[in-house]
Amino acid sequence: MKLRSGDHVLVITGKDAGKESRIARVFPKDNRIIVEGVATAKRHQRPTGELNTGGIIDKDMPIDASNVLIVCKECGPTRIGARIDDDGKKHRVCRKCGNDL
Ligand SMILES: [Zn+2]
């Protein structure tokens, strides 16, 4: 899993295809991610207290990490490449322009 929470991604499949948003959570074990405002499901919630009055809430459901492309600031949707610097540290880079992601 090369994606991290906070990454800007473009959804390429499913009912939200074409949407650009931010990754809210990653589940590396399942290779799934939650993208803000994507794969939103209506959930009925029971009132549990003063702050939670219940009702219908929107909940973003996890989608497969292969359903999105990371968005490079320079060239748009792209694939993630890897660069290893002199210290042996791994960096994620844009495969098109080579910029760090
Ligand atoms: Zn790029």
Side-chain angles (χ1 to χ4, degrees):
M1 166 86 79
K2 288 169 180 167
L3 297 166
R4 292 180 200 149
S5 63
D7 280 350
H8 195 69
V9 293
L10 170 73
V11 181
I12 49 172
T13 55
K15 74 177 167 77
D16 291 306
K19 251 190 201 174
E20 275 187 38
S21 193
R22 213 174 59 95
I23 296 180
R25 272 187 84 175
V26 292
F27 304 97
K29 243 200 321 188
D30 305 320
N31 208 42
R32 290 170 90 77
I33 57 175
I34 289 179
V35 184
E36 285 175 4
V38 168
T40 308
K42 300 259 185 238
R43 284 293 181 88
H44 297 262
Q45 192 164 56
R46 232 183 271 169
T48 54
E50 263 177 46
L51 286 175
N52 181 359
T53 53
I56 300 171
I57 55 159
D58 288 335
K59 192 175 189 309
D60 298 335
M61 303 304 287
I63 59 170
D64 202 273
S66 63
N67 291 351
V68 302
L69 283 178
I70 196 155
V71 177
C72 168
K73 283 189 201 98
E74 297 295 325
C75 38
T78 186
R79 302 244 173 223
I80 300 173
R83 177 174 67 81
I84 297 169
D85 69 15
D86 298 339
D87 305 332
K89 248 188 173 180
K90 260 193 197 171
H91 292 271
R92 300 182 311 164
V93 297
C94 168
R95 284 236 191 121
K96 285 184 197 164
C97 66
N99 278 349
D100 281 12
L101 290 170

